[in-house]
Amino acid sequence: MRARSLISLFAAFLALSACAIPGPSEHLNGDEGQLARLTQSPFFIQMADPQLGFAGTPLLLVLLGYTWNDDPTAQEIALFEKAIEHANRLRPAFVVICGDLIQTPGHAGQTREFQRIAGRLDTSIPLHLVPGNHDVAGEPTSDLLRSFRRDFGPDWYSFRHGDVYGIVLNSSLIGQPSKAPGEAAAQFAWLKGELGTARASGAAQILVFQHHSLFLSDPDEAWEYFNLPNEIRGQYLKLLHEAGVRAVFAGHYHRNAYGRDGELEMITTGPVGKPLGDDPSGFRIVRIGEDGFEHAYFGIADGP
């Protein structure tokens, strides 16, 4: 069993450090013209992976679950603070952060720093938090889920803002449910009912927010560190299609990726914190309307 775990860790290390990166796509890199268009009608901001405490940790130790430094680096703090400043200036309908809020599950210092910075978001702008594998572990346990719920709130839930019916999922429970099978079953049962409620609500856009991508570019691609297992992926895609879900927004990849399965878009957004590819630290602006939605990714340092 230990040998199998080490092999899995090595495979994940290779995926993180040497995996193929989909090429840049024009709709993923915003310019001033897109910014003006996106912010003329109701829009929201999607962030992912502030992951406070990651930048100071060697990559192999990240995979082993260790934290090199107890506290976030100055660079991580500055990036997250700047992202919140952009949100306060742009005035979105809401902000959603798609997981890996911190580096180490239950870490008091990282949690405190995340809450301090997130608390700077104007109280008139709703903030929705999504659990990531570094918030509840790659294989969540009941204890780690309780810790997340105490510090950050529920790990699966829904919300409504105007034309958007948002559904937040704990994708770690979807991909690795073995240590909390009851929790995983409860989330799946809830999702089936909630999708029916969403469809009956009359919302123009039903959107799902989670940490792991169902797939990065192709719904038939092989399972690896950055997506979800194929069999489970197929089950969830079937449910989402039946309910008329238009898009799934995710993070985890620490760069941008884009894919489609029929009418459903899979949108993977780069990190607020440390990048692992060519895309800079940033966030996504998503314009919502009855006719559909449009989105673009903007770097934090340059400022949209």
Side-chain angles (χ1 to χ4, degrees):
M1 179 65 71
R2 183 174 178 80
R4 187 181 304 165
S5 297
L6 289 173
I7 291 170
S8 298
L9 284 168
F10 182 68
F13 175 75
L14 292 178
L16 278 164
S17 58
C19 67
I21 302 171
S25 181
E26 60 183 12
H27 67 278
L28 293 175
N29 303 292
D31 57 30
E32 290 299 320
Q34 283 178 301
L35 177 66
R37 185 166 63 253
L38 292 172
T39 55
Q40 281 177 352
S41 59
F43 70 96
F44 67 87
I45 289 177
Q46 181 214 5
M47 302 181 189
D49 300 280
Q51 204 165 332
L52 302 181
F54 176 36
T57 307
L59 192 55
L60 186 57
L61 291 186
V62 170
L63 295 170
L64 293 172
Y66 294 105
T67 299
W68 187 257
N69 294 323
D70 286 338
D71 298 307
T73 66
Q75 181 185 26
E76 289 173 308
I77 291 170
L79 285 167
F80 191 24
E81 288 178 338
K82 191 67 175 176
I84 294 297
E85 289 174 11
H86 283 311
N88 283 335
R89 179 172 55 82
L90 293 169
R91 313 297 301 176
F94 63 91
V95 172
V96 58
I97 305 180
C98 284
D100 280 3
L101 315 177
I102 60 176
Q103 166 64 16
T104 308
H107 191 290
Q110 294 168 10
T111 298
R112 211 165 34 242
E113 194 66 5
F114 178 89
Q115 292 171 337
R116 180 188 70 81
I117 300 170
R120 293 186 172 188
L121 184 67
D122 192 293
T123 55
S124 67
I125 303 172
L127 175 63
H128 302 291
L129 302 180
V130 179
N133 57 298
H134 281 278
D135 304 312
V136 297
E139 296 181 75
T141 65
S142 294
D143 286 344
L144 287 172
L145 292 171
R146 278 193 293 271
S147 175
F148 179 88
R149 292 163 186 166
R150 180 196 66 221
D151 294 336
F152 301 109
D155 54 315
W156 74 79
Y157 59 96
S158 64
F159 60 85
R160 178 75 186 263
H161 292 293
D163 288 328
V164 173
Y165 197 111
I167 295 177
V168 170
L169 295 177
N170 183 339
S171 59
S172 293
L173 274 179
I174 296 172
Q176 300 288 338
S178 60
K179 292 184 179 179
E183 296 274 9
Q187 176 179 238
F188 187 69
W190 171 83
L191 174 63
K192 289 193 288 186
E194 195 63 25
L195 286 170
T197 301
R199 185 158 194 168
S201 72
Q205 306 290 338
I206 305 173
L207 306 177
V208 169
F209 301 93
Q210 57 190 51
H211 182 59
H212 299 78
S213 303
L214 290 168
F215 56 90
L216 293 174
S217 59
D218 187 328
D220 296 320
E221 69 195 23
W223 175 33
E224 44 107 328
Y225 180 78
F226 290 109
N227 59 22
L228 290 178
N230 295 73
E231 183 178 352
I232 296 172
R233 181 192 311 165
Q235 293 173 0
Y236 276 79
L237 283 172
K238 184 174 184 295
L239 278 180
L240 301 184
H241 279 299
E242 289 172 350
V245 173
R246 291 295 309 279
V248 176
F249 290 85
H252 186 51
Y253 194 43
H254 286 254
R255 54 216 133 186
N256 291 300
Y258 179 82
R260 181 183 284 275
D261 182 32
E263 294 298 311
L264 186 145
E265 295 187 50
M266 181 67 246
I267 300 161
T268 304
T269 292
V272 168
K274 181 180 179 179
L276 292 178
D278 293 333
D279 295 313
S281 300
F283 55 84
R284 187 172 304 281
I285 297 177
V286 185
R287 180 194 67 82
I288 292 295
E290 291 187 3
D291 57 332
F293 60 92
E294 180 187 1
H295 57 92
Y297 186 77
F298 295 88
I300 289 173
D302 296 334

